[in-house]
Amino acid sequence: MRDIGVDDFTYPSVLNCLTSKKDVKIGQSVHCRVIKTGFQGYNLIGNALVDMYAKQGDLSYAFKVFNTILDRDVISWTSAVTGCAHNGSHEEALKLFCKMRNSGVEPDQVITSSILSSCAELALLEFGQQVHANFMKSGLQSSLLVDNSLVTMCANCGCLEEADRVFKSMANRNVITWTALIVGYAQNGKGKESLGLYDQMILSGIKPDFITFIGLLFACSHAGLVDQGCRYFESMINVHGIRPGPDHYACMVDLLGRAGKLLEAEKLLDEMAVEPGATVWKVFLAARRKHGNIDLAKKAASVLFKLTPKDAVPYVMLSNMYSKADKWEDAAAVRKLMKSKCISKEPGYSWLEMNGKVRRFMSEDRSHPKSDQIYLRTSEVMGLIKNAGYVPDVNFALHDINDEGKEQGLAYHSEKLAVAFGLLYVPQGAPIRIYKNLRVCGDCHAAMKLISKMFCRHIILRDSNCFHHFRDGTCSCGDYY
Ligand SMILES: [Zn+2]
Ligand SMILES: [Zn+2]
């Protein structure tokens, strides 16, 4: 076609076909031609280049092009924002969106949906709701894309009532809408509701997809519904023709492991049609840990040491397991091995969104301006629940110090600091929403239950695995975490 000549519509069409990682070289050569033929100043082409580089995973080059676009329209900003989101840089996506608003460009459906998805990832409910309210005020019609992202965001922030309200108000729904709510219910400890919703979806004539089944299997494993989970797994393959991926297997291993069916879990692992990745092995290790089978846990841990050599989780799990079985020397040996390989635990942190601000808490961190007050409140709260029967579980403090020192360390885990902050500043009657980057430890879980009862608060904690709704001394996860 070069002999015929190209125009400013040809390039975007070509660039749109080069968004995969294997297209990096050819993408660059098309970019060279754009420059050589004098088309680099065209918005349409600049936008397509930003989109192409971002989808290929090269954000720095995407921004190099983005910065050369002089008259940026909403599509230029959308390419950059969705590019950030695509690469997991959700904070950057939100910052860009604010910049766009300040530059006077109004958001459309596509960018609004993308921002709501980033808010879902970062659990920024207030911010997302504000973005959506502004979008509705702008007079633009909502779309399936926007509504689906809104349902996902609400469910992902533990706000099921709102997710349900939006879902019911929608005139059109597709498999993404249904799946968003099915997964939302599953993650928020409402397994039976999740399965009920699936039946309704089938009745309404919508076919499930790959992700719907992750939600269903997750719901079954967390609600302890072993037989039903096995039936869904089979129907996924035999009725719906969906090949299970590592996430489905991870749910199945978890389902069988939780029910103590370790041999069946191992059999499934051996028969897997795909290579079991780190996620599956981690679930397998966790199941071993729960049922105290050290030899098989050792096997799972050694596979993980090879698969994810920089990950501290298998080392910590194995070491904790040895400590629990009073095998102190073995526990120390695992920690020594971890130290010799310079592997450190990912620092745990929790965050809370209030009045448009995000407050982040780290274990034993005192950099917060109100930290004296928060620490004082934390120790008061811990004292109060201790009187009500809370016994600190020092198994969760991985330090070689005496019990009192361990207890102090435990008291200042990031989620405990966050809940103390919530008790101080979140009005009574409103839920305290806390988000955590890692899994909640058993000690914090026990403390949260008592705090919810003692202070009559609904505490919602989203950790890296699921949601915990603490109410009146119990948790929605049924203590499976
Ligand atoms: Zn903790
Ligand atoms: Zn829980």
Side-chain angles (χ1 to χ4, degrees):
M1 220 193 130
R2 282 182 195 174
D3 300 333
I4 309 166
V6 290
D7 63 12
D8 55 335
F9 288 102
T10 320
Y11 281 123
S13 311
V14 173
L15 293 167
N16 283 342
C17 303
L18 301 172
T19 48
S20 138
K21 277 203 166 77
K22 63 178 176 20
D23 302 324
V24 170
K25 279 211 164 137
I26 184 162
Q28 283 168 349
S29 85
V30 174
H31 190 182
C32 281
R33 277 207 77 74
V34 168
I35 297 168
K36 274 188 200 159
T37 46
F39 278 99
Q40 73 266 43
Y42 287 76
N43 255 17
L44 216 57
I45 299 173
N47 297 344
L49 279 167
V50 172
D51 190 57
M52 178 195 77
Y53 281 121
K55 285 188 178 145
Q56 287 178 352
D58 191 344
L59 265 190
S60 84
Y61 229 98
F63 274 104
K64 265 188 194 157
V65 179
F66 180 72
N67 291 332
T68 64
I69 302 175
L70 294 175
D71 193 18
R72 293 173 197 147
D73 55 15
V74 69
I75 302 172
S76 324
W77 288 98
T78 305
S79 304
V81 164
T82 48
C84 288
H86 186 82
N87 285 282
S89 302
H90 297 288
E91 277 184 46
E92 201 51 46
L94 298 195
K95 280 183 197 157
L96 268 179
F97 180 76
C98 295
K99 258 192 190 168
M100 180 192 90
R101 295 295 312 265
N102 291 337
S103 76
V105 175
E106 287 296 322
D108 65 2
Q109 285 98 338
V110 181
I111 202 163
T112 303
S113 155
S114 177
I115 286 299
L116 292 177
S117 304
S118 287
C119 290
E121 287 296 324
L122 298 170
L124 297 180
L125 183 66
E126 277 182 30
F127 188 88
Q129 283 176 328
Q130 211 170 38
V131 168
H132 186 253
N134 288 337
F135 169 78
M136 294 307 280
K137 268 190 228 155
S138 76
L140 280 175
Q141 282 283 315
S142 194
S143 67
L144 190 59
L145 198 65
V146 173
D147 289 345
N148 281 351
S149 302
L150 188 63
V151 174
T152 308
M153 182 195 76
C154 294
N156 234 350
C157 293
C159 200
L160 280 179
E161 298 84 0
E162 190 56 18
D164 199 50
R165 195 192 60 74
V166 179
F167 179 87
K168 285 184 177 141
S169 73
M170 287 168 70
N172 297 310
R173 301 176 192 125
N174 63 5
V175 62
I176 300 172
T177 329
W178 286 92
T179 301
L181 209 56
I182 289 172
V183 172
Y185 273 120
Q187 286 181 330
N188 282 277
K190 292 186 180 285
K192 293 208 170 105
E193 286 85 343
S194 175
L195 304 184
L197 210 60
Y198 174 73
D199 293 340
Q200 282 181 42
M201 178 181 111
I202 297 293
L203 280 177
S204 72
I206 296 195
K207 281 190 165 53
D209 69 6
F210 191 84
I211 301 169
T212 318
F213 280 101
I214 296 179
L216 288 178
L217 296 176
F218 190 93
C220 290
S221 81
H222 283 248
L225 304 168
V226 183
D227 294 341
Q228 212 158 337
C230 292
R231 278 203 299 275
Y232 281 129
F233 189 66
E234 266 181 45
S235 83
M236 172 175 84
I237 303 166
N238 300 330
V239 179
H240 299 283
I242 299 169
R243 272 182 59 184
D247 286 334
H248 300 107
Y249 281 109
C251 287
M252 284 305 290
V253 169
D254 192 38
L255 174 79
L256 296 167
R258 279 167 192 260
K261 300 189 171 201
L262 296 179
L263 286 175
E264 284 175 48
E266 204 174 357
K267 196 168 158 253
L268 186 74
L269 207 86
D270 287 339
E271 291 169 0
M272 267 179 74
V274 289
E275 196 60 41
T279 322
V280 183
W281 279 105
K282 250 187 215 175
V283 173
F284 193 62
L285 174 59
R288 298 278 176 235
R289 184 189 55 167
K290 264 210 154 86
H291 295 277
N293 191 327
I294 293 191
D295 283 340
L296 287 165
K298 243 167 80 180
K299 183 182 147 193
S302 63
V303 176
L304 280 166
F305 293 163
K306 284 187 197 124
L307 278 179
T308 50
K310 288 280 157 218
D311 189 3
V313 174
Y315 289 92
V316 175
M317 272 191 188
L318 195 62
S319 159
N320 280 348
M321 208 169 155
Y322 279 131
S323 311
K324 247 189 166 163
D326 290 337
K327 297 191 168 185
W328 304 106
E329 279 178 14
D330 289 327
V334 175
R335 292 213 293 278
K336 209 174 150 191
L337 181 69
M338 184 174 156
K339 223 175 172 181
S340 74
K341 292 189 175 173
C342 300
I343 300 164
S344 51
K345 270 172 81 177
E346 184 187 348
Y349 58 86
S350 300
W351 70 98
L352 226 140
E353 189 189 21
M354 214 178 83
N355 301 332
K357 273 196 181 148
V358 175
R359 331 258 164 171
R360 204 164 103 141
F361 300 90
M362 284 185 82
S363 183
E364 299 187 58
D365 170 27
R366 290 184 183 264
S367 63
H368 194 278
K370 289 189 172 122
S371 94
D372 285 350
Q373 232 175 323
I374 298 165
Y375 273 77
L376 189 68
R377 187 65 179 145
T378 312
S379 56
E380 276 171 15
V381 170
M382 297 315 285
L384 282 168
I385 60 168
K386 235 175 162 176
N387 292 339
Y390 157 77
V391 183
D393 190 342
V394 290
N395 269 320
F396 292 100
L398 249 188
H399 300 294
D400 288 310
I401 43 177
N402 58 29
D403 275 359
E404 196 192 344
K406 281 181 183 176
E407 203 180 309
Q408 275 172 12
L410 268 183
Y412 301 126
H413 276 186
S414 66
E415 53 271 62
K416 290 192 185 103
L417 296 173
V419 83
F421 179 88
L423 290 173
L424 280 169
Y425 299 107
V426 175
Q428 188 77 33
I432 301 174
R433 297 174 192 279
I434 302 167
Y435 305 96
K436 178 159 194 195
N437 65 331
L438 306 175
R439 276 193 192 210
V440 60
C441 82
D443 183 71
C444 288
H445 197 270
M448 294 286 172
K449 286 203 284 189
L450 280 165
I451 294 169
S452 74
K453 187 170 185 179
M454 199 153 213
F455 295 88
C456 302
R457 291 289 196 135
H458 177 197
I459 302 165
I460 304 170
L461 173 66
R462 184 181 98 176
D463 71 7
S464 62
N465 183 42
C466 68
F467 280 89
H468 304 268
H469 289 256
F470 299 99
R471 265 194 192 110
D472 201 26
T474 60
C475 180
S476 60
C477 77
D479 296 341
Y480 271 135
Y481 53 89

